[in-house]
Each structure stands twice: as structure tokens, then as C-alpha cells.
Amino acid sequence: MYIATTIEELRGRLSASKRPAFVPTMGNLHDGHIALIRQARTLGDATVASIFVNRLQFLPHEDFDTYPRTWDSDCEKLRAAGCDVLFAPTEKVLYPEPQTCKVHPDPALADMLEGHFRPGFFIGVCTVVMKLFQCVQPRVAVFGKKDYQQLMTIRHMVRQFALPIEIAGSETFRADDGLALSSRNGYLSKDERAEAVQLSKALRAMAEAVRAGETDLAAIEARAMQTLAQRGWQPDYLVLRRRADLREPTPGSQGEPLVALAAARLGSTRLIDNLEIEAVSAS
Ligand code: PAF
């Protein structure tokens, strides 16, 4: 695996590639990231990963400084997965001057849910992804569905700016008990790790209620919030939204594909997850 730390090195190395397939990451790689690399390998003629902990997408009180940086094991995992090129710029390389020119994604999509609880988050994400896209110039990029709103926001950005990049979504990788893999799972204590599975269980209960024909979605959401709160979680949201645009489902409509989305804090760790629900046809 070739490691490029500058944009020039990266572009030089990729100059012969006709279809680079790109997986942007913030490092601390787990099996979920490796699944993205494996998918990328099937989609392009050179597989490129990036590791960059992007300051712009962290709020001042968030975990930018303590975000796990695990360079050696990340490189080992990427090599074993068959990644061809790793782009690992320093902050000086990616942001040589204050990044005052930023990408502001569509507020209708980016200001709700994660964007509501983490204001500016998607501006930071879209700005770095746009910049990484300019550096790598991929033809295809792979993002995990675990960050569902992020995937939708990036797809929208790519469409609106007519970027010649195909965005592929990858299914969420889960531990045996159902917990979605995340770099932040490493913050959980042993007891918290055992409890963490309740987030995906709450999403499954929401999905089952919809499938069972329950139509009062607000009641389903309130029940899920209450279940987690009673177990000691601090939920930000557990909601049922339209898959098409993450807006609230049309009242009475039963044909819309939905997604259940959740974010909740367990101790000091904030976890997110989601579950797609197939359309329920009206009986
Ligand atoms: O999903 C992530 O790890 C990050 O948000 C991304 C896409 C690498 C941008 O920093």
C-alpha cells in the first residue's frame, strides 16, 4: 500500500487510474470500514482510503482531541484488506490556511436530526468531503449507511454540484448482538457495552410496530424514547422518517418506505444508528 501525505504525491500515484474508488475515514478502523474497502475494491481499478480527523466537523465541546488515533493498526488493516493507496494528510496539508470557504449543504436535509443536535456538523463534513474529492478525484466513493443522514447529504451535494462521482452506500456492519460498529464504541465501559445493544433493539421495536400496522408514529417514537430513558440513556431522537428525504411521513400514508433513526447518549458516549423499514402496503 502506497501512503501519500501530500496532494501532489497522491495525484502522481493515481494519475494512471481511470476509476479510483474512494473510502474517506477518520481512522480507528473497524470491520465496518474494512467492509467499505472491500466494496470499493469491486467498484474501481484502484482502491483509495483516507485517514483524516476533521476538526471542522467537531463542536468545541466534542471529542476532537481524544478521538482515537490508531495509525499502525489502521495501516495494517488497510494493507490486509487490499487497499492500494492511503491518503493521510496533516491538517497543514488539507487546511494550509483557515478554511473560510465552506460547503453549506441543503438546510432542509442537513439542519434536522444530527444537524440539529450538532450544529455545523454537516458543513464540516461536506467541506472536507468536497476537498478530499478534489484531492483524490475518485469516480466512485463508498459511505456507510450507519451515517444515514451523512450519506444522503453527500449524495445531494454531489448531485447539486454535478460532481462526476458515483456514491455507493454500504450496509451497516453489526456486532453479533446487533450493535452497529462505530469508532466511538471504544469509549464504552464493559457494562455500557452490554447495554449499548438496546439502541438497535429500540429501532427494531419501532420497525416491528410499523410492520404490525400501528399508525400512530408519534406514539411509537415516544415509547422508544421512554424505553431508553428508563434504562438510563439520554436520547436525542428516535424517529420514523421518510427514506426519500428524512421528513416526517405523510399522515395516513402507508406506502412510503421509512427509516427509523436514533441518537442517544449512554454515559458520556453518543451513539447513532438506523434501520430501514420496507413500505407497508395499505390493507
Ligand atoms: O464518516 C466519517 O468518518 C466522516 O464523517 C468522514 C466522511 C470521513 C468525513 O470526515
Side-chain angles (χ1 to χ4, degrees):
M1 181 176 71
Y2 178 81
I3 299 177
T5 54
T6 68
I7 299 170
E8 295 71 32
E9 282 168 1
L10 175 71
R11 288 198 181 138
R13 185 68 183 195
L14 290 175
S15 58
S17 166
K18 288 200 163 36
R19 195 174 157 79
F22 179 41
V23 179
T25 83
M26 297 206 299
N28 193 232
L29 304 182
H30 50 66
D31 288 348
H33 294 110
I34 298 310
L36 303 185
I37 298 286
R38 296 221 164 93
Q39 187 166 338
R41 285 190 65 190
T42 67
L43 297 173
D45 63 4
T47 305
V48 188
S50 65
I51 294 182
F52 182 71
V53 185
N54 174 39
R55 188 186 289 277
L56 293 188
Q57 69 190 72
F58 289 79
L59 287 168
H61 65 271
E62 290 184 340
D63 54 344
F64 174 77
D65 289 328
T66 52
Y67 197 85
R69 286 153 173 93
T70 49
W71 174 253
D72 289 340
S73 79
D74 287 352
C75 288
E76 217 169 282
K77 287 176 186 168
L78 288 173
R79 265 191 208 102
C83 179
D84 300 304
V85 179
L86 169 60
F87 180 43
T90 58
E91 280 200 291
K92 254 207 154 86
V93 165
L94 213 58
Y95 299 135
E97 55 189 274
Q99 185 70 31
T100 48
C101 187
K102 294 184 180 156
V103 179
H104 286 250
D106 183 354
L109 185 56
D111 285 3
M112 62 168 103
L113 305 174
E114 282 307 281
H116 174 75
F117 286 95
R118 304 179 70 192
F121 171 69
F122 287 115
I123 296 175
V125 168
C126 286
T127 301
V128 78
V129 168
M130 178 66 96
K131 198 150 189 181
L132 289 166
F133 281 173
Q134 301 313 312
C135 299
V136 177
Q137 301 182 348
R139 284 292 161 266
V140 53
V142 190
F143 291 83
K145 280 196 189 175
K146 156 136 185 312
D147 297 295
Y148 205 84
Q149 194 180 0
Q150 169 174 283
L151 171 61
M152 289 186 71
T153 304
I154 286 165
R155 276 206 170 116
H156 187 255
M157 173 184 85
V158 164
R159 197 168 68 235
Q160 289 240 322
F161 285 110
L163 303 182
I165 305 171
E166 185 191 314
I167 302 297
S170 184
E171 292 305 322
T172 300
F173 206 95
R174 296 183 182 278
D176 288 344
D177 65 354
L179 176 67
L181 294 200
S182 159
S183 298
R184 290 191 168 100
N185 292 351
Y187 295 149
L188 299 169
S189 69
K190 201 163 166 258
D191 287 350
E192 286 170 343
R193 172 61 191 84
E195 172 65 21
V197 64
Q198 297 299 330
L199 191 62
S200 58
K201 277 197 175 162
L203 289 169
R204 280 210 303 277
M206 293 169 81
E208 274 155 28
V210 172
R211 281 184 204 119
E214 206 174 320
T215 50
D216 186 348
L217 302 188
I220 299 174
E221 294 172 356
R223 216 161 53 224
M225 291 282 278
Q226 197 188 14
T227 305
L228 282 192
Q230 277 169 351
R231 301 186 65 93
W233 292 68
Q234 294 160 271
D236 281 346
Y237 58 84
L238 285 109
V239 291
L240 290 157
R241 293 293 171 94
R242 297 200 300 219
R243 253 194 259 174
D245 54 11
L246 297 188
R247 288 176 186 259
E248 286 176 24
T250 320
S253 151
Q254 288 211 300
E256 291 171 335
L258 301 181
V259 56
L261 302 124
R265 205 172 287 279
L266 182 57
S268 56
T269 307
R270 188 171 181 278
L271 301 176
I272 65 170
D273 197 358
N274 65 77
L275 199 61
E276 288 179 332
I277 306 168
E278 61 279 8
V280 181
S281 52
S283 50

